[in-house]
Amino acid sequence: MSAALFALAVIFLASLSFGSVRIPIADVIAVLTGGEASREVFEKIILGIRLPRAITGVFAGAALSLAGLQMQTIFRNPLADPFVLGVNSGASLGVALVILMIGPGSAALLAGLGGFGNASVVVAASLGAGLVLALIMVLSLRVDLMTLLIMGLMVAYATSAVVSILMFFAMPERLQAFFAWTFGSFGTVTWSQMTVLAPAVVIGTLMSLVATKSLNAFLLGEAYAVSLGVRILLWRTWVLIAASILTGAVTGFCGPIGFIGVAVPHLCRSLLQSSDHRVLFPFVIVMGATIALFADFIAQVPGSNVVLPLNAITALIGAPIVIWLLLRKRNLRQAFGEHAS
């Protein structure tokens, strides 16, 4: 854990120091500790642009990784991720309705949207994710987990189909705006928006921590968990709500960020050689934040003015991790059948 925390601190400082403008580490530390940088513009860049982006990356990486761990445990499926229930697709539909459906006479409103961290886009994404979450919660009371998983996929397909139809009839410039949101970014979250994102992630994380003992029981199978006195429906609903809050908040503010939720839990299980959620939870949070920041660091292409799509970088990092783990362990399902140590 100490090595992971050290890596997180290093990549956090690097995210503040490197970019299109190189800022000395000494100036970064001076600004973070309340001092003054050698140049006034450095302080503005750090406090106004890079610090909120880095903090957002920490929150997003931790939230998506924690949600992914819970989804994989609840569904006992190594390929489950935070978006398996269609929450991501719901958020995408909300954003598509805002960006693609504005009438031709509402050009002023469209222009007012500005960057993709615009409040209207965030609210639309949150509402879309929230509606899908509410639907999933109702369904979870009536069906078993496998059926719920399939229904979640169907909801995702249906909402994606609606988005495709909206894109077919949309104007080219609005398509460009929508595609930019789907690329994902930590740089669109402002300090004022952070006052919403941070509490949502903290609440989802605290809810997840409360469920640690029950999640360990889920590893043994629902029948065995019942024999241990675990209230399956209660804790399943509790975990789904926690994971959906974490996923919906991040997707609403940062766009759909893929692969982190799938890859990080597998990486942490492999490194710790344990499926015990009491051990995994803090490690997953730190590793998720570290890998998310590292992906954003690469996406910023230090030393240039180019910014690559964050989703492409997370996939390029996450895919080799999952493949390496598959080759190393050959059977990831073993991790879901082991007794928590």
Side-chain angles (χ1 to χ4, degrees):
M1 175 59 84
S2 57
L5 287 172
F6 178 75
L8 176 59
V10 170
I11 192 63
F12 189 86
L13 290 176
S15 297
L16 300 182
S17 177
F18 293 90
S20 57
V21 176
R22 170 79 167 85
I23 300 177
I25 290 291
D27 285 331
V28 171
I29 295 175
V31 172
L32 292 181
T33 54
E36 294 183 355
S38 58
R39 294 173 59 184
E40 185 179 352
V41 68
F42 288 167
E43 186 172 332
K44 291 181 178 178
I45 292 174
I46 293 173
L47 296 180
I49 300 175
R50 295 185 184 178
L51 186 57
R53 189 181 69 210
I55 294 175
T56 300
V58 170
F59 278 124
L64 293 177
S65 301
L66 196 55
L69 173 63
Q70 294 179 95
M71 289 296 97
Q72 290 171 10
T73 300
I74 283 289
F75 291 107
R76 294 172 61 82
N77 187 327
L79 294 180
D81 71 1
F83 304 136
V84 71
L85 296 179
V87 176
N88 174 46
S89 299
S92 297
L93 177 60
V95 174
L97 287 172
V98 169
I99 295 180
L100 304 178
M101 287 294 290
I102 294 176
S106 304
L109 177 59
L110 180 63
L113 289 176
F116 302 111
N118 182 278
S120 298
V121 175
V122 173
V123 170
S126 300
L127 285 177
L131 289 174
V132 172
L133 168 63
L135 174 62
I136 293 299
M137 289 302 102
V138 172
L139 293 175
S140 69
L141 301 175
R142 303 172 58 87
V143 300
D144 59 22
L145 277 176
M146 186 55 67
T147 306
L148 183 63
L149 178 62
I150 296 173
M151 285 184 171
L153 290 175
M154 294 303 105
V155 171
Y157 282 129
T159 51
S160 296
V162 175
V163 171
S164 296
I165 293 173
L166 293 175
M167 293 170 62
F168 180 78
F169 290 105
M171 298 172 64
E173 61 270 24
R174 297 174 190 179
L175 275 178
Q176 184 178 8
F178 181 71
F179 279 133
W181 178 81
T182 63
F183 288 158
S185 173
F186 298 144
T188 56
V189 179
T190 63
W191 284 115
S192 61
Q193 292 171 343
M194 191 76 72
T195 59
V196 178
L197 173 64
V201 172
V202 170
I203 290 172
T205 301
L206 292 177
M207 290 181 65
S208 303
L209 293 175
V210 171
T212 300
K213 185 177 178 180
S214 299
L215 285 170
N216 278 344
F218 272 99
L219 287 173
L220 307 173
E222 288 194 0
Y224 200 88
V226 169
S227 69
L228 294 176
V230 175
R231 300 172 65 181
I232 295 296
L233 183 59
L234 170 65
W235 285 109
R236 189 173 71 185
T237 305
W238 180 273
V239 169
L240 290 178
I241 291 175
S244 297
I245 290 175
L246 293 170
T247 306
V250 173
T251 304
F253 284 97
C254 307
I257 310 293
F259 260 101
I260 291 178
V262 176
V264 172
H266 290 309
L267 178 64
C268 293
R269 286 192 196 93
S270 178
L271 292 175
L272 296 178
Q273 294 293 307
S274 174
S275 298
D276 188 344
H277 290 79
R278 294 169 299 180
V279 179
L280 281 174
F281 265 32
F283 198 58
V284 161
I285 289 173
V286 175
M287 287 299 293
T290 303
I291 291 178
L293 273 183
F294 179 70
D296 184 63
F297 178 78
I298 299 298
Q300 298 302 318
V301 191
S304 75
N305 292 320
V306 176
V307 178
L308 299 175
L310 181 59
N311 255 333
I313 303 303
T314 57
L316 288 174
I317 294 174
I321 290 176
V322 174
I323 292 172
W324 173 69
L325 291 171
L326 287 170
L327 293 173
R328 185 167 179 259
K329 203 161 186 175
R330 295 181 180 277
N331 185 7
L332 285 177
R333 283 191 176 278
Q334 291 176 356
F336 299 88
E338 295 173 352
H339 292 258
S341 58

